[in-house]
C-alpha cells in the first residue's frame, strides 16, 4: 500500500526514517548505480532525515574500510558531475558494515543486532530496505535467511498500515525461464508478502519511460488515434553499441532475449499499449500493464521460425573501433549458441490493437546506442495526390526516444515551395535536455525513493514476470531445440542479421533505423 503520493508531485518530501541494507555492498552495482543514486538523492534533500546505509558482503572489511571505500567511491563521481559533498555531509556516522556469508545464518543474526544499534543511533525506527545487489542465485536464500532471522516481519498498526516496514528490492534477472522464475517467486512468497517485494527494472526509472504515461494520458490529442484504426504498426528498438563486456559468465547463459525482453522491453511495450489506469495508484497501473501482456498472442512453434529472429555478432567496427566477435570475447564459449540480437513480431489480441504488429528488437554491437518506440500511423488516403510525384507519401511517425537523447518527435509531410506539388518529410521535435537541461542521473534515484515510500508502481509485480516468461517460452523452447546453424550471422556495427530486415520486409515495412 503506498503512502499518499502522486508520481507527479512538484515538491517531493524525503521519505520517513529507514536503513538501507545493501547485500553485495562491495560489488559493481553498488559502486556504479546505488551510491551515485544515493548521492543524487542526498543532493536534492530526498534521503530520509533519519537514515543509515548498512553494507553486507562476504569481503572481510570493517566499518572504517567500508566507510572509506564508500566515500571514495562517491567522491570519484564528482568527475562525472555528481555532488559528493551532499553525500559526505549526510554520511557522517551513518555507514555501517556487516561481514557475512549469504548462505549462513550467523551473519544474519549479527546483522539483526547491528540493525538494532543502527535504529538507536540513527533513529531508523526499524524500517529496513534490503537491496539485493548480488548474483541472482542468492536471491531466494537471502530472503529466506532474512525471514528466518526475523528481519522481514512488519509490525502493523491498529489502522492496518505497517508502522514498521520491511522491503526487499531484487534486480533482474527474475529467473532464467518460466520454471525458474516460478521457483524463485514461490520461495519469495513463502518467506515474505508480495507487497514487500520490489522487483526493480531500471528502465522504469528512466525519465522518458515514465514520460510515456504522461505523454499518453496527460494529453487529449494522442489517445483518440492510439489504436488499430490509425496505427499501422509499432516498433520498439533497444540497440546497444557495447558488446558482452566483462559479463560473459552471465550473458553467455542468458543471451539477448532473456536479458532485455521480458523485463525492459515488455515494460515499455506495456506502457505503450495499455489502457488508461483509473489512478496512478501502484496496483491500478500494474493491473493495466498485465492486461497487455496477457493479451499478447503466444507464438506457435512454427511461428517462432517466422516471427522470431536471433543473431550473434562477428568481429567488425563499431563507431570506428575494431571489436572482436562475440565468440572471441573473454569468457564466451568458442562455439557459443547464445544470441546477442533478438527480434520478434508480436500481436496484442484486444480491441485496441487487433492486427497491429508490434516489432521489437534488441542487440549488442549495433551501430548506435538508441532506445526508441516508433508509432507508425496508417497512410493518408492518397486520392488527392494520385497524379503527382507525391503519390508515394511516407507515413507519419511518432518517435518516442528513450535514450540517449530523450525526446519526442513527429514526422509529417509538407509541401516544398514551388509551383508543382512536391512533398518533403519534416520533423517536429521536443528534446528533454534542450528544454529542461540535464544533470547526471543513474535512473535508480526515483526507484530507490519510491521503494522507501512503499510505492511499487514502477516495480514489476509477480504476475508480470510470470506472464512475460510465458510469452517467451515457445521461443526459448524452439531455439533450444534447434541450435543456430548460421552463427555468427551479423557483423559488429551493423543492424543485426538480414532476417531481421526480412521480418518487416515480408510485411512491406522497414525498421526506422538502418538494416543490414
Ligand atoms: C541491463 C542488461 O539490464 O540493461 C545489459 O543486463 C544492458 O545487458 C543494460 O546493457 C542496458 O541498460 P541501459 O540503461 O544502458 O540501456
Amino acid at each position: 500500500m503506498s503512502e499518499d503520493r502522486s508520481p507527479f508531485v512538484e515538491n517531493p518530501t524525503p521519505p520517513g526514517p529507514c536503513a538501507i541494507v545493501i547485500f553485495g555492498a562491495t560489488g559493481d552495482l553498488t559502486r556504479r548505480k546505488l551510491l551515485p543514486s544515493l548521492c543524487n538523492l542526498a543532493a536534492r534533500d530526498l534521503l530520509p532525515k533519519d537514515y543509515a546505509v548498512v553494507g553486507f558482503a562476504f569481503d572481510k572489511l570493517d566499518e572504517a574500510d567500508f566507510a572509506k571505500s564508500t566515500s571514495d567511491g562517491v567522491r570519484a563521481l564528482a568527475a562525472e558531475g555528481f555532488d559528493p559533498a551532499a553525500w559526505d555531509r549526510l554520511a557522517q556516522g551513518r555507514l555501517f558494515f556487516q561481514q557475512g556469508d549469504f548462505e549462513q545464518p550467523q551473519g544474519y543474526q549479527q546483522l539483526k543486532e547491528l540493525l538494532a544499534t543502527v535504529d538507536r543511533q540513527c533513529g531508523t525506527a526499524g524500517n529496513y530496505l534490503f537491496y539485493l545487489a548480488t548474483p541472482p542465485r542468492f536471491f531466494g536464500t537471502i530472503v529466506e535467511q532474512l525471514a528466518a532471522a526475523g528481519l522481514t516481519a512488519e509490525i502493523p498498526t491498529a489502522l492496518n498500515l505497517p508502522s514498521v516496514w520491511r522491503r526487499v528490492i531484487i534486480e533482474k534477472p527474475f529467473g532464467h525461464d518460466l520454471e525458474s522464475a516460478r521457483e524463485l517467486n514461490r520461495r519469495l512468497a513463502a518467506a515474505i508478502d508480495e507487497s514487500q517485494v520490489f522487483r526493480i527494472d531500471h528502465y522504469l526509472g528512466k525519465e522518458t519511460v515514465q514520460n510515456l504515461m504522461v505523454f499518453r494520458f496527460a494529453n487529449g490529442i494522442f489517445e483518440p488515434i492510439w489504436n488499430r484504426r490509425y496505427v499501422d504498426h509499432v516498433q520498439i528498438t533497444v540497440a546497444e553499441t557495447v558488446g558482452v563486456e566483462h559479463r560473459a559468465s552471465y550473458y553467455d547463459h542468458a543471451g539477448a532475449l532473456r536479458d532485455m525482453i521480458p523485463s525492459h522491453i515488455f515494460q515499455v511495450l506495456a506502457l505503450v499499449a495499455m489502457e488508461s489506469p483509473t489512478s496512478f495508484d501502484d496496483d491500478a497501473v500494474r493491473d493495466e500493464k498485465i492486461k497487455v501482456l496477457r493479451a499478447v498472442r503466444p507464438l506457435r512453434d512454427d511461428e517462432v521460425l517466422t516471427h522470431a529472429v536471433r543473431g550473434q555478432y562477428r568481429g567488425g567496427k563499431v563507431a570506428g573501433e575494431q571489436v572482436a566477435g562475440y565468440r572471441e570475447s573473454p569468457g564466451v564459449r568458442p562455439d557459443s549458441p547464445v544470441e546477442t540480437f533478438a527480434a520478434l513480431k508480436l500481436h496484442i489480441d484486444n480491441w485496441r490493437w487487433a492486427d497491429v504488429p508490434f516489432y521489437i528488437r534488441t542487440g549488442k554491437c549495433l551501430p548506435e546506442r538508441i532506445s526508441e518506440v516508433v508509432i507508425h500511423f496508417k497512410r493518408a488516403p492518397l486520392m488527392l495526390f494520385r497524379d503527382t510525384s507525391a503519390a508515394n507519401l511516407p507515413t507519419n511517425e511518432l518517435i518516442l526516444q528513450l535514450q540517449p537523447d530523450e525526446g519526442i518527435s513527429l514526422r509529417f509531410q509538407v509541401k516544398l515551395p514551388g509551383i508543382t506539388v512536391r512533398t518533403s518529410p519534416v520533423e517536429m521535435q521536443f528534446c528533454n535536455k534542450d528544454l529542461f537541461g540535464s544533470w547526471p542521473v543513474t535512473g535508480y534515484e526515483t526507484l530507490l525513493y519510491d521503494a522507501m515510500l512503499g510505492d511499487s508502481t514502477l516495480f514489476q509485480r509477480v504476475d508480470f514476470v510470470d506472464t512475460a516468461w510465458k510469452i517467451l517460452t515457445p521461443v526459448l523452447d524452439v531455439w533450444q531445440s534447434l541450435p543456430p546453424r548460421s552463427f555468427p550471422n551479423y557483423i559488429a556495427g551493423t543492424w543485426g542479421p538480414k532476417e531481421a530486415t526480412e521480418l518487416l520486409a515480408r510485411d512491406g515495412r522497414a525498421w526506422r533505423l538502418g538494416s543490414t
Side-chain angles (χ1 to χ4, degrees):
M1 167 81 59
S2 40
E3 289 167 26
D4 180 19
R5 173 180 169 268
S6 141
F8 309 121
V9 284
E10 302 240 12
N11 296 307
T13 48
C18 73
I20 302 171
V21 184
I22 305 176
F23 285 84
T26 51
D28 210 39
L29 181 67
T30 305
R31 190 172 43 79
R32 287 192 310 116
K33 300 290 185 188
L34 303 185
L35 292 180
S37 310
L38 290 173
C39 182
N40 269 342
L41 288 174
R44 290 185 225 162
D45 288 332
L46 289 177
L47 280 183
K49 188 168 75 56
D50 299 308
Y51 82 100
V53 175
V54 181
F56 187 109
F58 191 62
D59 306 60
K60 292 203 164 43
L61 301 182
D62 61 22
E63 215 135 83
D65 294 334
F66 179 64
K68 179 164 179 341
S69 75
T70 307
S71 297
D72 288 352
V74 169
R75 259 192 288 277
L77 295 166
E80 294 167 40
F82 287 86
D83 173 12
W87 166 259
D88 275 349
R89 270 197 312 279
L90 290 174
Q92 294 292 329
R94 290 173 187 275
L95 298 179
F96 300 84
F97 184 75
Q98 177 61 56
Q99 193 276 332
D101 183 330
F102 298 146
E103 293 178 304
Q104 299 302 325
Q106 194 193 359
Y108 295 84
Q109 283 307 331
Q110 290 166 338
L111 177 66
K112 190 174 183 180
E113 286 159 27
L114 174 62
L115 283 169
T117 311
V118 169
D119 284 340
R120 279 194 303 277
Q121 281 183 20
C122 301
T124 42
N127 297 322
Y128 308 143
L129 181 62
F130 299 105
Y131 200 118
L132 275 44
T134 66
R137 67 177 187 281
F138 293 118
F139 292 167
T141 308
I142 294 176
V143 174
E144 284 161 358
Q145 293 281 0
L146 284 171
L151 279 167
T152 54
E154 298 193 314
I155 303 173
T157 63
L159 283 174
N160 227 8
L161 290 170
S163 67
V164 167
W165 56 259
R166 307 283 162 87
R167 298 175 191 137
V168 181
I169 300 186
I170 60 175
E171 276 278 339
K172 68 169 261 288
F174 313 117
H176 184 73
D177 52 19
L178 183 59
E179 204 185 313
S180 54
R182 285 190 170 162
E183 172 59 17
L184 173 63
N185 286 330
R186 256 195 304 274
R187 289 178 75 182
L188 296 178
I192 55 178
D193 191 75
E194 172 64 15
S195 64
Q196 296 175 272
V197 185
F198 285 65
R199 294 178 190 80
I200 212 163
D201 181 323
H202 78 277
Y203 261 60
L204 291 178
K206 291 185 193 283
E207 270 303 324
T208 2
V209 175
Q210 292 175 47
N211 198 18
L212 278 171
M213 257 206 299
V214 178
F215 179 77
R216 288 193 53 199
F217 302 125
N219 294 298
I221 58 172
F222 300 109
E223 238 0 69
I225 55 170
W226 207 264
N227 57 52
R228 65 188 303 272
R229 283 191 66 191
Y230 299 98
V231 175
D232 177 72
H233 73 282
V234 177
Q235 296 181 12
I236 301 177
T237 293
V238 176
E240 297 187 272
T241 48
V242 293
V244 60
E245 298 177 294
H246 53 278
R247 299 167 68 224
S249 61
Y250 153 71
Y251 198 86
D252 202 40
H253 297 279
L257 187 95
R258 287 187 169 94
D259 186 39
M260 300 297 284
I261 296 184
S263 48
H264 308 327
I265 295 190
F266 276 178
Q267 284 292 340
V268 173
L269 174 87
L271 287 168
V272 170
M274 74 186 197
E275 298 302 314
S276 162
T278 46
S279 73
F280 282 114
D281 210 41
D282 28 22
D283 273 334
V285 173
R286 299 190 302 174
D287 284 348
E288 293 308 330
K289 286 200 206 163
I290 186 64
K291 282 186 205 159
V292 173
L293 279 207
R294 289 200 183 119
V296 172
R297 189 191 306 162
L299 294 181
R300 295 188 316 264
D301 287 357
D302 58 313
E303 282 175 329
V304 171
L305 303 176
T306 49
H307 288 45
V309 171
R310 56 184 157 167
Q312 188 192 75
Y313 62 87
R314 64 163 60 91
K317 277 197 167 161
V318 182
E321 296 280 319
Q322 186 66 36
V323 299
Y326 177 69
R327 288 178 176 177
E328 285 82 62
S329 309
V332 171
R333 291 163 286 171
D335 56 349
S336 173
V338 162
E339 80 286 352
T340 58
F341 178 98
L344 297 178
K345 173 181 168 184
L346 296 174
H347 279 99
I348 298 174
D349 281 340
N350 61 22
W351 277 55
R352 188 191 279 265
W353 296 116
D355 301 328
V356 178
F358 283 70
Y359 300 99
I360 63 186
R361 67 175 167 170
T362 182
K364 302 256 185 217
C365 280
L366 301 185
E368 275 181 65
R369 175 174 184 251
I370 193 163
S371 299
E372 64 172 29
V373 176
V374 189
I375 313 289
H376 286 260
F377 290 97
K378 288 191 169 157
R379 202 171 287 283
L382 297 178
M383 301 305 281
L384 188 56
F385 302 104
R386 196 172 37 206
D387 299 324
T388 70
S389 61
N392 276 326
L393 293 180
T395 54
N396 299 124
E397 291 169 7
L398 179 71
I399 302 152
L400 305 153
Q401 197 159 322
L402 311 178
Q403 64 184 18
D405 299 318
E406 306 176 331
I408 299 171
S409 49
L410 182 64
R411 302 194 95 208
F412 52 94
Q413 305 300 312
V414 294
K415 179 182 171 299
L416 283 172
I419 48 175
T420 56
V421 179
R422 284 184 308 144
T423 62
S424 169
V426 291
E427 208 162 282
M428 218 157 66
Q429 267 189 348
F430 150 71
C431 173
N432 229 46
K433 168 159 74 51
D434 291 352
L435 204 61
F436 301 122
S438 63
W439 51 87
V441 282
T442 63
Y444 279 67
E445 291 83 355
T446 312
L447 299 171
L448 282 171
Y449 176 76
D450 283 0
M452 286 189 267
L453 285 178
D455 182 342
S456 47
T457 312
L458 298 176
F459 293 83
Q460 297 200 28
R461 209 166 58 183
V462 60
D463 48 0
F464 195 97
V465 174
D466 198 83
T467 312
W469 283 117
K470 245 192 253 168
I471 296 168
L472 296 175
T473 297
V475 183
L476 292 170
D477 287 352
V478 171
W479 284 4
Q480 160 95 22
S481 59
L482 295 176
R485 278 176 299 174
S486 58
F487 277 10
N489 61 352
Y490 70 94
I491 303 171
T494 65
W495 283 102
K498 66 177 184 347
E499 289 80 3
T501 308
E502 289 162 7
L503 180 71
L504 271 72
R506 274 199 299 275
D507 299 340
R509 303 182 174 111
W511 294 104
R512 189 184 85 86
L513 286 172
S515 284
T516 38

